[in-house]
Amino acid sequence: MPAFVIVEITIHNLELYEAYKKLTPAAVAAYDGRFVVRGAATESLEGDWNPQRMVVLEFPSVERAKEWWASPEYTEAKIIRQQAATTKMLVVEGV
């Protein structure tokens, strides 16, 4: 069953975050993932949720998404992202 990684990002260091963006696609692809949303503009329909940046990734399963997140291929990028931004990240099983 597909799984989605939903990420809300507030960038503090744009230059460093650009380095992160260059490293991430190969790591995502290595775990059979793909970008569904990558930084597109958001518009709040209800409530006061207005994230600066949203990313949605799709993986074949929750297990595969977790493998990607913990992978050696993603480690360098993850460290850079954690230095450049504040992030909230969820994994959720699709239907």
Side-chain angles (χ1 to χ4, degrees), residues 23-45:
L23 294 173
T24 306
V28 169
Y31 288 82
D32 308 311
R34 70 179 186 95
F35 286 91
V36 177
V37 174
R38 190 172 189 196
T42 63
E43 180 181 348
S44 180
L45 299 177

Side-chain angles (χ1 to χ4, degrees), residues 5 9 11 22 35 58 60 73 84-85 89:
V5 174
I9 304 162
I11 301 167
K22 291 176 185 173
F35 286 91
E58 182 180 8
E73 294 87 349
M89 186 180 300

Side-chain angles (χ1 to χ4, degrees), residues 12-64:
H12 305 296
N13 182 328
L14 189 54
E15 184 177 329
L16 193 56
Y17 193 81
E18 288 298 321
Y20 165 76
K21 285 174 31 181
K22 291 176 185 173
L23 294 173
T24 306
V28 169
Y31 288 82
D32 308 311
R34 70 179 186 95
F35 286 91
V36 177
V37 174
R38 190 172 189 196
T42 63
E43 180 181 348
S44 180
L45 299 177
E46 287 190 36
D48 61 359
W49 190 25
N50 193 17
Q52 181 187 55
R53 183 176 178 85
M54 289 295 298
V55 174
V56 178
L57 303 169
E58 182 180 8
F59 289 90
S61 66
V62 168
E63 293 76 19
R64 199 69 171 145

